[in-house]
């Protein structure tokens, strides 16, 4: 894992796709890979994207959250369906994708975890209850029936 540097953020800011202030917690605790994945997703989608959470210091996520490792982001793409957000993340190589239809503006968790990909849908906002999938097509079909 390679952490983001000042030079990385300078490059992203000069392209007009990011500002380090978008990351509410320490932006230098984020993995370069996941940030550049999001940059590529933003470019391809052409939609505004809000970053809700990047690196987290231990509050508000599950015990083994990839946020604590700096390898996860919670985002939502404006004017894009939840299914299309999920498909975009998959296309760009995210290996952990969570769908959150219960957010005020439905969005996704993306990460670049090691090992077998996993996908999930939050059942009830803030409940910590999820439906998990290892098959991407099943994930998208189920999400499409509820989102």
């Amino acid at each position: 894992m390679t952490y983001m540097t000042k030079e990385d953020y300078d490059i992203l800011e000069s392209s007009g796709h990011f500002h380090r202030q978008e990351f509410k917690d320490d932006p230098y605790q984020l993995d370069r890979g996941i940030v550049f994945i999001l940059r590529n997703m933003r470019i391809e989608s052409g939609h505004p994207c809000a970053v809700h959470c990047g690196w987290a210091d231990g509050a508000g996520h599950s015990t083994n959250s990839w946020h604590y490792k700096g390898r996860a982001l919670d985002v939502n793409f404006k004017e894009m369906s939840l299914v299309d957000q999920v498909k975009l993340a998959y296309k760009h190589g995210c290996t952990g994708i969570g769908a959150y239809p219960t957010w005020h503006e439905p969005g996704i968790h993306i990460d670049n975890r090691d090992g077998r990909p996993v996908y999930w849908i939050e059942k009830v906002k803030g409940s910590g209850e999820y439906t998990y999938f290892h098959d991407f097509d099943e994930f998208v079909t189920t999400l499409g029936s509820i989102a």
Side-chain angles (χ1 to χ4, degrees):
M1 180 171 116
T2 303
Y3 289 107
M4 290 292 291
T5 65
K6 178 186 179 315
E7 292 77 21
D8 290 329
Y9 282 112
D10 289 345
I11 291 167
L12 291 173
E13 288 177 357
S14 69
S15 72
H17 292 288
F18 269 102
H19 296 284
R20 68 195 88 208
Q21 293 82 9
E22 290 182 72
F23 302 102
K24 295 172 180 71
D25 295 308
D26 187 347
Y28 299 103
Q29 293 294 323
L30 286 170
D31 174 52
R32 188 176 194 275
I34 196 66
V35 174
F36 276 83
I37 285 171
L38 182 59
R39 185 225 31 197
N40 294 338
M41 290 170 63
R42 278 181 163 176
I43 291 169
E44 181 175 331
S45 76
H47 291 274
C49 173
V51 177
H52 301 286
C53 183
W55 174 79
D57 65 0
H61 292 92
S62 64
T63 305
N64 296 315
S65 172
W66 288 89
H67 287 281
Y68 304 140
K69 299 171 178 123
R71 293 178 62 183
L73 298 169
D74 292 342
V75 301
N76 76 290
F77 286 82
K78 312 286 183 186
E79 302 168 5
M80 242 181 122
S81 75
L82 194 51
V83 169
D84 286 343
Q85 292 180 61
V86 161
K87 287 179 178 178
L88 182 66
Y90 181 79
K91 179 179 179 181
H92 284 273
C94 295
T95 50
I97 305 171
Y100 291 82
T102 60
W103 288 353
H104 175 68
E105 294 184 56
I108 58 175
H109 162 103
I110 59 172
D111 67 54
N112 58 350
R113 67 185 61 211
D114 301 317
R116 185 177 184 188
V118 65
Y119 317 104
W120 63 93
I121 302 170
E122 183 181 46
K123 291 181 181 180
V124 178
K125 184 175 184 174
S127 68
E129 295 178 28
Y130 306 93
T131 302
Y132 290 93
F133 305 85
H134 288 287
D135 181 83
F136 184 74
D137 292 330
E138 181 184 4
F139 170 52
V140 170
T141 299
T142 303
L143 181 59
S145 71
I146 62 173

